[in-house]
Amino acid sequence: MKTVPDYFGCLVFDDRIMKTMLSADVYAKLKKTIVQGEKLDLTVANAVAEAMKDWAVSKGATHYTHWFQPMTGITAEKHDSFISPASDGRVIMEFSGKELIKGEPDASSFPSGGLRATFEARGYTAWDPTSYAFIKDKILCIPTAFCSYGGEALDKKTPLLRSMEALDKQAMRILKLFGNEDVKCVRTSVGPEQEYFLIDEDVYAQRKDLIYTGRTLFGAKTPKGQEMDDHYFGVIKPRVAAYMADLNKELWKLGILAKTQHNEVAPAQHELAPIYTTTNLATDHNQLTMEIMQKVAKRHHMVCLLHEKPFAGVNGSGKHNNWSIATDTGVNLLSPGDTPYENAQFLLFLCAVIKAVDDYQDLLRISVASAGNDHRLGANEAPPAVVSIFLGDELTAIMDAIVEDRPYSAQQKTSMKLGVNVLPKFARDNTDRNRTSPFAFTGNKFEFRMLGSANSIACANIMLNAAVAASLKIYADRLEQAEDFESALHEMIRKTFKDHRRIIFNGNGYDDTWIAEAEKRGLCNYRTTPDCIPHMLDEKNVKMLVGQKVYSEAELKSRAEILLENYSKTVLIEAHTMDDMVQKQILPAVVKYANDLAVSAVSKKALVSGLACSYESETVAKLSALSDSIAQKVAVLEADIERTKSMEDVIELSSFIGKTLLADMESLRADCDAAEMLTSEEYWPFPTYGKLLFSVR
Ligand code: ADP
Ligand code: MG
């Protein structure tokens, strides 16, 4: 039997393969492009393309595709075969450097938020050599960025790469000041923990809401949900275990470092976490992971739900973005060091993050905004919509000591001096217990916990990297000019801690009193997607993102528009689906059941005189009242859907949808769920929550 190391990465054109398949010269030049971003010349590209094709064909591949991440949030691909006619009527397999480097998909159907109208009709894809090519379903996939001809990014990868570059540039300036001469580059790394649900494909197929929207729009609570806490870390059912084993294998073949798997809090909910890697690879890998999760589920006759809130009443699914900054020499810059000097450097990077998160809390909130995630944030199962940082008691005490110029503990005699005092060793456990914080320091990294399970992690990391780069730039500008480096450094750290103290919160983020407190502190609380997205274009945000060369102003405008448009479309599809299910399934079922009860009562009374048949008549009365109310509410929903058609402004539309349409839907659902409780299961037109949540045995 093959062991994991035998097949790990067997579908990836990785460094190992490149070394064996490329000439030393070509390999060296490609490496330069990968590590230092140097431009690739066409002869090198031709040689790489040739080798890539030979390798892919030897693995059974027939086609290639430029694999990219348009703003739909999922990945896109268009397949071209390698075949090229030969003179004798046969074909040969060909792939040129030009085809490797650049592709021209017909991009007009991808969302561009008006960008292409103002620039160019078509877009092109460009190879990202920092992410390895791989084979998926016999297709050679080449990770690419997607731009308009004017150079505007039409995807999520381009700004992500730009944000990594921005952070690299500023962090390098700081590292130079600390005398780190051997460091060549700084990268952020990410380990995203991914939650998901698994349900049986038969019950899935009977629910239009799941099919059209990925979440249930109706469903009365089950007698048993997650109240016993018996699912979290519980024994994994054989069918799920088989799925996980198969999934791991597929991911490992693609070089994805799937590491941890366990059951989550809700029934049918699970989690997978990989070992962290460089941010753009982690992003590509997470997109692939989500895709493969769904594909492997099919093979096991199940459906993998990645929606943030597939079921009301039990926890939804999120994603934790574990994030840190490291040098190419392997130093984690968010890890407290052993020497006073390393500690000062650590504290400065820590400050950069604190300042970034406080200054751009709105951008972080925006980066996780989606219709699905709105159901989670602030619903006592995920962090609130308010961004704050958990630092842990020890680090907070140190911070306060620095601000107040005093010792941080009884053991320490003199006041806290950077570059002189050694920080205490943090016990990892002490810093990792608060699970309610949206942004928690966990010893040597930050865990950003607001992401939704279906979100691409690109957006969160773009904002995070850019904002931290902006803090570092301010520090570097100041420190490079300082006459006395150490006192300038001390002052800067002190000032940051003092100015941004409000963003630190070590308490329970699910507590309502925190929301009130946060408001007093002046922190943003944007509850919904329509509330937050317009702030993407606030002057300070545009200035920072354009200044860091992460987005142009036009790109930002287009993104805000696309995000709001996506939101509106998503909720509208849900509203239409509810309308359909109510009219064609729920009302007919309720009416039929009520009628059968009425008929039964009448015939029983005819048979036996003096019978009350109070159960039947009361239930008929209740169901009739409910069906009338449902009919009225669905009419209101339809009228409100109609009203959206005349709204042209994306902000007005999304805000109406977020306030009015969602409220209509909630109210309609309440009646339908009440009717479900009174109706015989035999009559109910689709599987109930009990059948869905406990469908996999
Ligand atoms: P938890 O207590 O949240 O399970 P773990 O240490 O298991 O914490 O880490 C969870 C995730 O964090 C994993 O994906 C792991 O690879 C990632 N991680 C660990 N160290 C780092 C780091 N330095 N940078 C980014 N991610 C990291
Ligand atoms: Mg975690």
Side-chain angles (χ1 to χ4, degrees):
M1 205 175 85
K2 273 197 174 176
T3 63
V4 179
D6 288 336
Y7 64 80
F8 185 87
C10 68
L11 296 177
V12 185
F13 192 73
D14 60 13
D15 203 58
R16 195 176 40 160
I17 304 289
M18 288 184 204
K19 234 183 226 153
T20 56
M21 295 197 65
L22 299 171
S23 73
D25 182 44
V26 169
Y27 174 78
K29 283 184 178 148
L30 179 60
K31 254 332 236 212
K32 266 208 151 145
T33 301
I34 294 175
V35 179
Q36 291 160 35
E38 257 172 53
K39 210 171 168 335
L40 206 62
D41 71 59
L42 198 60
T43 51
V44 177
N46 278 331
V48 177
E50 179 80 13
M52 237 185 223
K53 182 234 3 179
D54 288 344
W55 169 80
V57 170
S58 79
K59 299 262 173 194
T62 53
H63 289 67
Y64 72 92
T65 182
H66 276 199
W67 185 78
F68 59 104
Q69 297 166 31
M71 289 182 280
T72 51
I74 49 172
T75 55
E77 44 194 82
K78 177 191 108 187
H79 306 157
D80 278 300
S81 74
F82 293 120
I83 62 162
S84 172
S87 54
D88 57 0
R90 297 191 311 167
V91 293
I92 51 168
M93 301 296 254
E94 262 185 4
F95 185 47
S96 70
K98 248 168 94 181
E99 289 168 308
L100 166 64
I101 291 179
K102 195 164 166 178
E104 298 186 18
D106 176 8
S108 52
S109 299
F110 291 108
S112 69
L115 261 185
R116 262 189 317 266
T118 32
F119 297 96
E120 253 292 343
R122 281 180 313 161
Y124 69 91
T125 49
W127 181 32
D128 164 22
T130 60
S131 181
Y132 298 132
F134 56 90
I135 296 173
K136 182 166 66 75
D137 298 329
K138 304 220 181 291
I139 313 285
L140 170 67
C141 298
I142 298 151
T144 51
F146 180 39
C147 299
S148 77
Y149 272 90
E152 276 73 26
L154 294 172
D155 67 348
K156 302 198 176 197
K157 181 184 274 260
T158 308
L160 181 65
L161 292 172
R162 289 177 188 158
S163 75
M164 291 170 70
E165 226 175 283
L167 193 132
D168 176 35
K169 186 170 156 200
Q170 303 306 333
M172 284 301 288
R173 290 174 68 193
I174 299 285
L175 289 179
K176 284 250 151 58
L177 289 167
F178 278 89
N180 302 278
E181 294 301 336
D182 53 335
V183 177
K184 284 202 190 62
C185 69
V186 170
R187 296 253 167 86
T188 53
S189 50
V190 169
E193 302 164 56
Q194 173 77 48
E195 292 179 343
Y196 61 98
F197 279 85
L198 281 179
I199 59 169
D200 190 87
E201 67 179 9
D202 289 338
V203 285
Y204 171 87
Q206 296 171 58
R207 300 265 326 200
K208 291 192 206 181
D209 46 5
L210 285 176
I211 292 171
Y212 296 140
T213 75
R215 75 175 177 111
T216 54
L217 301 168
F218 303 98
K221 261 200 163 144
T222 49
K224 178 180 191 294
Q226 64 189 43
E227 39 289 277
M228 303 292 288
D229 289 326
D230 53 354
H231 194 253
Y232 190 58
F233 279 21
V235 177
I236 298 172
K237 291 169 184 156
R239 197 167 161 202
V240 175
Y243 165 79
M244 287 176 170
D246 207 7
L247 174 63
N248 284 335
K249 198 166 167 191
E250 293 300 325
L251 296 175
W252 289 336
K253 282 198 235 165
L254 285 165
I256 298 172
L257 295 156
K259 170 90 173 160
T260 312
Q261 60 199 26
H262 59 80
N263 287 348
E264 261 300 330
V265 172
Q269 192 184 30
H270 313 280
E271 180 183 297
L272 178 138
I275 297 172
Y276 67 98
T277 180
T278 315
T279 307
N280 72 319
L281 259 187
T283 305
D284 286 356
H285 282 178
N286 184 249
Q287 292 297 127
L288 270 175
T289 300
M290 291 193 283
E291 185 184 326
I292 309 252
M293 276 179 160
Q294 289 171 306
K295 198 154 64 188
V296 173
K298 265 192 203 138
R299 239 188 260 158
H300 291 254
H301 304 290
M302 296 188 286
V303 176
C304 171
L305 301 175
L306 289 171
H307 193 284
E308 282 81 11
K309 194 71 185 175
F311 306 101
V314 297
N315 276 8
S317 299
K319 189 139 58 186
H320 291 174
N321 191 81
N322 294 274
W323 174 94
S324 72
I325 320 173
T327 66
D328 62 327
T329 52
V331 178
N332 181 346
L333 297 170
L334 293 178
S335 191
D338 296 324
T339 66
Y341 222 56
E342 283 169 358
N343 281 325
Q345 184 180 296
F346 158 71
L347 283 177
L348 188 65
F349 277 97
L350 185 76
C351 280
V353 179
I354 293 172
K355 179 172 164 52
V357 174
D358 189 28
D359 286 343
Y360 300 103
Q361 16 170 320
D362 44 358
L363 286 180
L364 289 179
R365 165 68 184 95
I366 287 165
S367 78
V368 300
S370 70
N373 215 17
D374 281 359
H375 296 292
R376 293 176 63 243
L377 299 178
N380 283 342
E381 61 175 73
V386 181
V387 177
S388 66
I389 299 180
F390 170 86
L391 264 195
D393 293 339
E394 275 180 290
L395 210 45
T396 307
I398 289 167
M399 184 171 143
D400 289 340
I402 291 173
V403 171
E404 289 156 25
D405 242 338
R406 57 167 174 77
Y408 61 79
S409 71
Q411 288 84 7
Q412 196 207 13
K413 297 283 179 294
T414 55
S415 68
M416 181 68 198
K417 275 275 169 293
L418 289 169
V420 179
N421 294 119
V422 181
L423 298 180
K425 281 259 164 277
F426 307 110
R428 233 183 83 83
D429 273 352
N430 290 344
T431 60
D432 203 23
R433 283 292 164 249
N434 188 325
R435 297 256 151 204
T436 65
S437 172
F439 202 91
F441 183 66
T442 55
N444 61 359
K445 63 184 187 295
F446 278 96
E447 186 168 342
F448 184 28
R449 299 192 175 118
M450 288 170 81
L451 286 77
S453 48
N455 284 165
S456 157
I457 63 169
C459 307
N461 288 293
I462 291 167
M463 295 308 182
L464 195 51
N465 293 343
V468 173
S471 310
L472 291 172
K473 177 172 188 299
I474 292 169
Y475 295 168
D477 286 349
R478 171 83 182 80
L479 290 174
E480 280 168 359
Q481 303 303 323
E483 275 167 22
D484 177 355
F485 176 72
E486 278 188 22
S487 57
L489 176 69
H490 188 95
E491 205 30 57
M492 191 117 57
I493 288 177
R494 218 184 114 151
K495 182 168 163 36
T496 304
F497 282 162
K498 198 160 155 252
D499 292 352
H500 300 285
R501 186 68 175 81
R502 65 170 187 170
I503 197 78
I504 311 294
F505 175 64
N506 294 328
N508 182 0
Y510 294 178
D511 204 333
D512 287 340
T513 57
W514 162 234
I515 302 303
E517 160 77 18
E519 195 172 312
K520 268 194 228 139
R521 293 190 189 186
L523 301 179
C524 310
N525 183 9
Y526 299 124
R527 289 277 302 111
T528 67
T529 301
D531 284 349
C532 71
I533 299 293
H535 292 284
M536 200 163 164
L537 302 175
D538 286 357
E539 198 185 328
K540 75 166 176 74
N541 294 336
V542 174
K543 208 168 146 209
M544 186 278 281
L545 290 165
V546 173
Q548 289 303 318
K549 299 195 170 67
V550 171
Y551 287 112
S552 69
E553 195 167 348
E555 286 171 348
L556 274 173
K557 283 193 179 137
S558 84
R559 280 178 203 240
E561 197 180 311
I562 290 170
L563 286 167
L564 287 176
E565 237 175 56
N566 278 349
Y567 173 85
S568 298
K569 283 183 189 162
T570 305
V571 182
L572 272 170
I573 292 172
E574 292 176 350
H576 280 291
T577 305
M578 279 190 112
D579 185 18
D580 181 286
M581 289 173 79
V582 167
Q583 309 265 24
K584 296 184 186 158
Q585 296 186 296
I586 295 177
L587 281 178
V590 172
V591 169
K592 184 165 195 298
Y593 183 56
N595 181 62
D596 285 2
L597 282 177
V599 169
S600 133
V602 170
S603 54
K604 273 163 54 181
K605 279 183 185 169
L607 199 65
V608 186
S609 66
L611 279 183
C613 291
S614 60
Y615 161 69
E616 282 94 337
S617 46
E618 276 165 29
T619 309
V620 169
K622 282 185 203 157
L623 283 176
S624 290
L626 278 171
S627 51
D628 287 349
S629 169
I630 290 170
Q632 263 169 27
K633 286 180 178 178
V634 87
V636 171
L637 180 71
E638 283 176 359
D640 283 335
I641 291 175
E642 202 52 39
R643 280 174 69 190
T644 64
K645 289 183 183 157
S646 60
M647 294 180 188
E648 269 163 25
D649 178 59
V650 281
I651 295 183
E652 184 200 351
L653 175 64
S654 62
S655 149
F656 175 80
I657 284 177
K659 289 196 176 80
T660 309
L661 216 58
L662 277 176
D664 292 347
M665 288 161 62
E666 207 174 303
S667 163
L668 174 61
R669 176 187 178 143
D671 280 357
C672 293
D673 290 355
E676 183 195 318
M677 288 305 289
L678 295 171
T679 305
S680 157
E681 210 164 309
E682 253 176 74
Y683 286 66
W684 201 248
F686 39 76
T688 59
Y689 264 30
K691 284 186 187 150
L692 290 171
L693 285 168
F694 299 94
S695 62
V696 174
R697 275 185 286 270

